[in-house]
C-alpha cells in the first residue's frame, strides 16, 4: 500500500511524493495484537490472584497459596520478558563474563524442572557427556534464562508420556553445546523461519491453548548471540523438536 502527498516546488510545479506504508501498517497491526495478548496474559493471572485472595478472606483452602504463587510467577515472568525486550531495544542489555563449570547447569535444570515434568507425566533426563569442558567463560544467570525457556517450552509442548532430554557436551575444540530434545508436538515448517522473532505467537493467539506471548525464544537468541554463540532448531510436526545452543568455551 502506498501513501501519496503533493508538494509544491518552486520552478517545477507540484510534485507527487509516494511512500510505501505496507511495513508501517504491518507494524501497527502487530502492535495491536501484542497489546491484546499482553493484556490478556496479565489480566488472567491477576484475576485469579484476586479471586483466590477473596476466598482466603473467608476460609482456608488447601493448595490455594500454591496457585496464587504460580499465577504470581506467571505475571513476573511476563514483566521480566518485557523489560528484557525494552533493554535489548535500548542497547542496555548486558552480558557479564565469568569462569564457571557448565556441568553446574544440570543441577539448575533438575532443581527447577524435574518436579514440573513429573507432574505432567514427562520423563526429563539430563546428560553430561565426557567431552564437556570442565570450565568455560560466560554469563551463568543469562544461560540459565536460555535454559529455562528451552526446557520450559519443551515440557509445555510435550504431552503426558513423552520425554525431554538435555545434553551438555563439547561441539569441537573451541565450542560447547546445550542440546534440548523433546517428543512434543513439533513446529510446522512454515513457522521455523520466524520462531526466534518476538511476538510471532501473537498472530495465532486465538487458536492456541498454551500460554505466552512469544518473547522467550527471541530473548534467548539475543543472549546467545551476545555471548558469541548461535542457536538453531530442527523440528518435525508430531515428532518433536531439537534446539541446539552452541557457545564458545572462552
Amino acid at each position: 500500500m502506498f501513501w501519496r502527498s503533493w508538494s509544491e516546488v518552486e520552478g517545477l510545479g507540484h510534485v507527487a511524493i509516494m511512500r510505501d506504508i505496507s511495513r508501517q501498517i504491518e507494524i501497527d497491526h502487530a502492535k495491536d495484537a501484542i497489546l491484546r495478548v499482553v493484556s490478556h496474559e496479565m489480566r488472567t493471572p491477576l484475576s485469579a490472584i484476586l479471586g483466590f485472595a477473596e476466598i482466603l478472606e473467608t476460609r482456608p483452602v488447601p493448595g490455594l497459596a500454591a496457585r496464587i504463587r504460580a499465577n504470581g510467577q506467571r505475571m513476573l515472568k511476563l514483566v521480566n520478558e518485557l523489560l528484557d525486550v525494552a533493554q535489548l531495544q535500548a542497547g542496555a542489555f548486558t552480558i557479564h563474563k565469568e569462569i564457571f563449570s557448565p556441568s553446574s547447569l544440570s543441577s539448575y535444570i533438575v532443581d527447577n524442572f524435574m518436579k514440573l515434568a513429573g507432574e505432567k507425566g514427562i520423563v526429563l533426563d539430563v546428560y553430561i557427556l565426557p567431552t564437556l569442558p570442565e570450565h568455560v567463560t560466560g554469563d551463568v544467570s543469562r544461560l540459565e534464562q536460555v535454559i529455562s525457556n528451552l526446557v520450559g517450552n519443551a515440557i509445555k509442548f510435550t504431552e503426558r508420556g513423552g520425554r525431554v532430554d538435555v545434553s551438555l557436551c563439547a561441539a569441537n575444540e573451541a565450542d560447547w553445546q546445550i542440546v534440548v530434545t523433546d517428543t512434543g508436538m513439533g513446529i510446522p515448517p512454515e513457522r521455523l523461519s520466524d520462531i526466534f522473532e518476538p511476538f510471532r505467537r501473537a498472530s495465532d493467539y486465538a487458536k492456541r491453548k498454551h500460554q505466552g506471548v512469544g518473547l522467550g525464544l527471541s530473548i534467548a537468541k539475543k543472549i546467545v548471540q551476545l555471548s558469541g554463540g548461535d542457536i538453531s532448531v530442527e523440528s518435525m510436526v508430531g515428532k518433536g523438536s531439537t534446539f541446539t545452543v552452541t557457545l564458545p568455551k572462552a
Side-chain angles (χ1 to χ4, degrees), residues 110-225:
V110 171
D111 293 343
N112 289 274
F113 294 100
M114 193 63 74
K115 181 180 178 182
L116 177 63
E119 290 174 347
K120 196 175 178 182
I122 295 171
V123 176
L124 172 60
D125 282 329
V126 183
Y127 302 94
I128 300 178
L129 276 66
T131 57
L132 184 69
E134 186 174 348
H135 294 96
V136 296
T137 302
D139 191 323
V140 179
S141 61
R142 289 300 187 186
L143 291 181
E144 288 176 349
Q145 189 175 347
V146 172
I147 288 174
S148 289
N149 180 265
L150 297 181
V151 178
N153 279 351
I155 294 174
K156 180 192 299 186
F157 295 111
T158 299
E159 298 298 329
R160 180 173 295 275
R163 67 179 297 115
V164 174
D165 294 319
V166 184
S167 298
L168 305 174
C169 60
N172 49 54
E173 291 186 1
D175 304 312
W176 66 287
Q177 290 182 328
I178 303 168
V179 183
V180 181
T181 302
D182 65 66
T183 59
M185 60 192 297
I187 305 165
E190 65 272 14
R191 300 304 300 271
L192 287 174
S193 61
D194 63 8
I195 193 165
F196 294 107
E197 295 297 320
F199 297 112
R200 286 299 184 181
R201 296 188 70 209
S203 60
D204 63 348
Y205 184 77
K207 298 182 288 184
R208 57 185 171 82
K209 64 178 182 178
H210 298 285
Q211 301 169 355
V213 297
L215 288 174
L217 282 177
S218 65
I219 295 172
K221 181 178 181 178
K222 288 294 184 180
I223 291 173
V224 173
Q225 289 179 331

